[in-house]
């Protein structure tokens, strides 16, 4: 009989660097997942922008511990309205570091 063993004394592996990954799926409809890694504790903001540079929605904000994270975006703006098909940018600010990537919403 297969069993699984979880050793609570083992420290989880922490990323050694800051990283922002390509969203999945891309293109997407209606949801996509954005993953990022933090090598140290940071104040984080993950936000979605349209191609005119206008803020669509902040999907993650706060103090995060070092580790790996996944955040889902449901294609809605900050007023809970479904956004149009098109290209969007997601930007991650973590401390002094900032990185962005493109994604496409197809309906």
């Amino acid at each position: 009989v297969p069993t699984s063993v979880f050793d609570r004394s083992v420290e989880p592996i922490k990323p050694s660097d800051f990283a922002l990954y390509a969203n999945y799926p891309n293109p997407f409809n209606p949801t996509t997942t954005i993953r990022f890694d933090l090598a140290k504790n940071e104040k984080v903001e993950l936000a979605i922008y349209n191609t005119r540079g206008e803020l669509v929605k902040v999907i993650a904000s706060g103090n995060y511990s070092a580790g790996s994270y996944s955040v889902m975006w449901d294609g809605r703006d900050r007023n809970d309205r479904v956004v149009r098909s098109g290209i969007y940018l997601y930007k991650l600010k973590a401390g002094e570091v900032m990185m962005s990537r493109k994604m496409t919403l197809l309906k």
Side-chain angles (χ1 to χ4, degrees):
V1 175
T3 61
S4 64
V5 177
F6 180 73
D7 184 352
R8 294 182 190 278
S9 66
V10 175
E11 187 75 21
I13 297 174
K14 293 182 182 169
S16 61
D17 206 1
F18 171 86
L20 177 63
Y21 299 99
N23 63 300
Y24 182 81
N26 190 22
F28 69 98
N29 178 14
T31 63
T32 191
T33 300
I34 300 168
R35 295 184 317 112
F36 62 93
D37 292 342
L38 300 174
K40 61 183 181 175
N41 299 354
E42 295 280 9
K43 181 177 180 184
V44 167
E45 181 179 275
L46 178 59
I48 311 296
Y49 293 86
N50 62 27
T51 54
R52 292 181 300 231
E54 299 167 333
L55 176 66
V56 174
K57 186 174 189 175
V58 174
I59 60 172
S61 180
N63 294 313
Y64 283 68
S65 300
S68 297
Y69 297 91
S70 294
V71 180
M72 189 187 78
W73 182 45
D74 61 2
R76 294 181 176 271
D77 68 14
R78 60 182 174 240
N79 296 314
D80 205 33
R81 296 179 299 222
V82 176
V83 299
R84 297 179 181 183
S85 293
I87 296 173
Y88 291 86
L89 303 172
Y90 54 101
K91 181 166 54 172
L92 177 65
K93 286 194 267 184
E96 300 295 317
V97 180
M98 187 181 335
M99 188 177 279
S100 64
R101 291 184 174 266
K102 289 183 190 179
M103 61 183 162
T104 304
L105 171 60
L106 288 179
K107 293 184 184 180

